[in-house]
């Protein structure tokens, strides 16, 4: 997907979670080029501030631990205060512990659901309500093709991302008439550092690649271009959708 980046988000206020690396960092670069004002969120303040200094955009860094009980609500408040409100939320932060069901670790399961489902769902609900009370906005959830098609050794991850897609649909249903759109992006494996760590072994990746008609995994810019489109007015009639960025994986 190729979009003119220069002014699609001119002046828009965007919160990006997990912004310090991988998909989140690529989305931040894409949004900066499109004219957005950015709130970059993560746990590593020094890393985020160093990254923010590389962007040609107005940036505010807000550290947050989304695994804590009040972390999502606190981030929603702090991010809104940065620029007097938000127009865009990119719900991107997530973790994974690849494990078989037989080897499932309860603590890992709880942490994945805390970070991948509870935190983004609450953050989106609080931010979406504030957007609806103001001038509307766009919520973009970075979910996964693993939310729509089961993946071995990803019991907790698939569960969390599937739940997050449904939470996003409820937001679309309840807040759409108040000017807030909510959509999900469902990529296949994306070649970030985390993607390389899990899928870098050719023995493991070969069966997965064989199920993708285009014959390759995604790169971060392909997710970012989709996020840019969904965040912008170019997608003004798109609401409650799950958009695969998967090379045809889900139809194979």
């Amino acid at each position: 997907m190729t979009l003119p980046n220069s002014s699609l988000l001119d002046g828009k206020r965007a919160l990006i979670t997990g912004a310090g690396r991988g998909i989140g960092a690529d989305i931040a670069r894409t949004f900066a080029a499109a004219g957005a004002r950015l709130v970059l969120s993560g746990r590593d303040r020094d890393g985020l501030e160093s990254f923010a200094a590389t962007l040609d955009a107005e940036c505010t860094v807000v550290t947050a631990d989304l695994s804590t009980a009040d972390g999502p609500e606190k981030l929603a408040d702090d991010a809104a205060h940065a620029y007097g409100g938000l127009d865009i939320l990119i719900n991107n932060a997530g973790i994974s512990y690849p494990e078989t069901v037989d080897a499932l670790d309860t603590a890992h399961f709880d942490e994945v659901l805390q970070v991948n489902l509870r935190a983004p769902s609450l953050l989106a609900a609080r931010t979406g309500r504030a957007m609806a009370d103001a001038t509307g906005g766009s919520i973009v959830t970075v979910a996964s093709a693993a939310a729509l098609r089961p993946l071995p050794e990803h019991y907790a991850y698939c569960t969390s991302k599937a739940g997050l897609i449904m939470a996003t649909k409820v937001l679309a249903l309840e807040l759409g008439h108040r000017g807030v759109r909510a959509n999900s992006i469902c990529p296949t494996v994306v070649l970030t550092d985390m993607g390389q760590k899990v899928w870098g072994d050719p023995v493991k990746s070969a069966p997965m690649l064989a199920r993708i008609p285009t014959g390759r995994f995604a790169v971060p810019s392909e997710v970012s271009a989709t996020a840019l489109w969904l965040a912008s007015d170019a997608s003004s009639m798109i609401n409650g959708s799950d958009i695969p960025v998967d090379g045809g994986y889900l139809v194979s």
Side-chain angles (χ1 to χ4, degrees):
M1 181 185 300
T2 302
L3 295 172
N5 286 6
S6 60
S7 61
L8 272 179
L9 303 181
D10 195 24
K12 298 287 188 182
R13 303 158 296 178
L15 166 61
I16 304 171
T17 67
R21 60 182 181 175
I23 293 171
D26 201 85
I27 292 174
R29 284 187 285 266
T30 300
F31 280 27
R37 292 183 287 169
L38 304 178
V39 180
L40 307 179
S41 177
R43 297 185 185 185
D44 178 8
R45 174 172 290 278
D46 290 343
L48 284 169
E49 289 180 344
S50 295
F51 174 57
T54 70
L55 301 176
D56 185 17
E58 186 176 356
C59 294
T60 298
V61 169
V62 178
T63 54
D65 183 353
L66 294 178
S67 67
T68 63
D70 63 347
E73 287 92 341
K74 185 175 186 304
L75 175 56
D77 290 341
D78 291 346
H81 288 154
Y83 301 120
L86 290 170
D87 306 295
I88 300 161
L89 167 63
I90 305 296
N91 241 341
N92 167 70
I95 60 172
S96 177
Y97 292 105
E99 296 169 331
T100 64
V101 171
D102 285 340
L104 186 66
D105 183 289
T106 301
H108 287 170
F109 182 87
D110 289 345
E111 185 180 358
V112 169
L113 263 66
Q114 184 90 348
V115 174
N116 290 8
L117 178 56
R118 180 186 185 275
S121 296
L122 288 176
L123 178 61
R126 299 296 185 259
T127 303
R129 181 177 63 190
M131 289 176 177
D133 289 341
T135 57
S138 176
I139 296 170
V140 180
T141 294
V142 180
S144 173
L148 303 173
R149 183 171 182 173
L151 191 63
E153 300 181 9
H154 285 73
Y155 185 67
Y157 186 80
C158 290
T159 300
S160 66
K161 292 295 189 176
L164 186 56
I165 282 181
M166 188 52 67
T168 304
K169 287 182 179 295
V170 175
L171 290 171
L173 182 65
E174 292 195 0
L175 300 181
H177 69 285
R178 297 169 65 190
V180 178
R181 296 182 297 109
N183 295 284
S184 299
I185 303 173
C186 298
T188 184
V189 174
V190 181
L191 293 178
T192 61
D193 289 344
M194 186 171 81
Q196 292 280 13
K197 181 178 179 180
V198 177
W199 295 98
D201 181 356
V203 174
K204 181 171 184 177
S205 63
M208 184 69 171
L209 284 169
R211 298 166 68 183
I212 300 176
T214 57
R216 66 176 179 85
F217 294 139
V219 295
S221 62
E222 291 167 323
V223 180
S224 298
T226 309
L228 174 61
W229 177 64
L230 288 173
S232 76
D233 292 339
S235 62
S236 57
M237 197 57 180
I238 309 302
N239 188 38
S241 294
D242 325 321
I243 299 180
V245 180
D246 69 347
Y249 168 70
L250 291 171
V251 299
S252 65

